[in-house]
Amino acid sequence: MVEYRIDRHSGVATYVQIVQQTKQALRMGLLRPGDRLPTAREVVEATAINPNTVLKAYRELEREGLVEARRGLGTFVRRSLGAATADAALRAELETWTDRAREAGLDREDVAALFTAVLDQRFAVPDAHAAEPGTRVTADGTRRDTEHTQHTQHTQHTANSQGDPS
Amino acid sequence: MTDTALRAEALGKRFGRRGRWALRECGFRLPAGRVCAVVGPNGAGKSTLLALAAGLLPPTEGRLTVLGTSPAQARPRVGFVAQDKPLHPQLTVAETLRMGADLNPGRWDAAVAERVVAGGALDPEARVRTLSGGQRTRVALALALGKRPELLLLDEPMADLDPLARHELMGTLMADAAQHGTTIAMSSHVVAELEDSCDHLLLVGDGRVRLAGDIDDLRSAHRRITAEADADLGPHTVVESRTTGRQLTALIRPAGPLAGDWRTSVPSLEELVLAHLRSPGAPGLATAEAAESTGTTEAVTEESAA
């Protein structure tokens, strides 16, 4: 089980923080396929954030194929992230590159700025609020349906765990 | 159960025959299941609005529908915690909760109420008059949540609480909303306090509704722009603009494509609220789902939101 830490001054949208922390836990092996994510109720009780924010993050993870919502049971991890062998090779390359940057006289901040600039250039920056603004206004019906499913799921989940002797 | 928790139509409230209008021509809709921040400066009309919704004040003009019916009829299904947290000072905490059970037959959830009180390590035998402000808030919230309301109205609920209790009680409220789909409307003049917990905004200023709608929708209907001082803001609605030297910064509601050489960003909730409060003349905005027969407020369409 993961525990989310929300930093309200990070400038990163809250739901994105949940997505990122879940992915981090997948990369580090803290979450593995088959593990259950905490329910929306559990997350909001601990963090005091809005329940819809958690559901939005879980939908995003589901869209990326990392987790799946199982009716009446909860949200479960489908696959982990980052193959260890590829990671090691990439890490070695990055270490070599970082050493070269240092020898070239760049300090820590220069390197971080350079790396971030290339990251931003190569990967689209997720802009939570610019995405599909047109559908947002009208998408209310769909979203509420999802919420209801999630509520039902939670209730059923509670019932299941009470009835389960294990 | 209706999909609308609160609906106001041309709602107005004046205190005394020649008194000042605390609210005037308010029109909005709060969909059920939302957690709504009722925000505005002191004296804007937030408390009046919540008291009208709780059925404690009659409107002077217009109409307010609560959970599909009149405020008076909806009262058994509505929890209300007023700003001064009125409780009987001579009752003990345990007696207060027993009173809650007696006053709400068939609805009372003793476990929920006791859990809220237990979180504060309150002595059940302590009399209410001996409690601190924060402890009284906790007892008042326990009464309101124990009632299992469909709509919870909270007027400045967190003002008396220390940061730890504030976080814990906000978590309790959010858990209730997640589990039961409770609609919550809570007021505060501190926007940052509500930003993470609320998904809907009602900005009240000078007795009128200035902004109403889903917070993400409202934010994405606006842009903060930085441009050259002589930039033509053209067809866009300008909420606020300022020129410093060669630079123009503005908060606008785009009504079409934006010039390519402007730097633009989506404003934070706080920026949005402050810009509207600094510019009392700027037109209001209600998103499509939050609009209700409005006079001064323009309804957002898909095009202008995009």
Side-chain angles (χ1 to χ4, degrees), chain B residues 131-187:
Chain B
L131 301 181
S132 72
Q135 290 170 321
R136 288 165 54 103
T137 298
R138 195 177 277 279
V139 176
L141 280 173
L143 266 187
L145 279 170
K147 188 177 178 180
R148 261 293 144 75
E150 290 166 47
L151 170 65
L152 192 52
L153 304 165
L154 306 172
D155 195 1
E156 295 280 356
M158 304 296 166
D160 289 331
L161 298 174
D162 63 65
L164 189 64
R166 190 175 294 198
H167 189 267
E168 188 228 308
L169 281 172
M170 197 65 106
T172 303
L173 291 174
M174 293 305 107
D176 193 75
Q179 193 168 3
H180 304 293
T182 316
T183 310
I184 302 178
M186 54 182 143
S187 72

Side-chain angles (χ1 to χ4, degrees), chain A residues 36-37 39 68-76 153 157:
Chain A
R36 183 175 68 80
L37 294 184
T39 62
E68 65 180 336
R70 290 188 207 148
R71 261 195 103 72
L73 294 172
T75 304
F76 291 83
Q153 275 174 15
H157 172 74

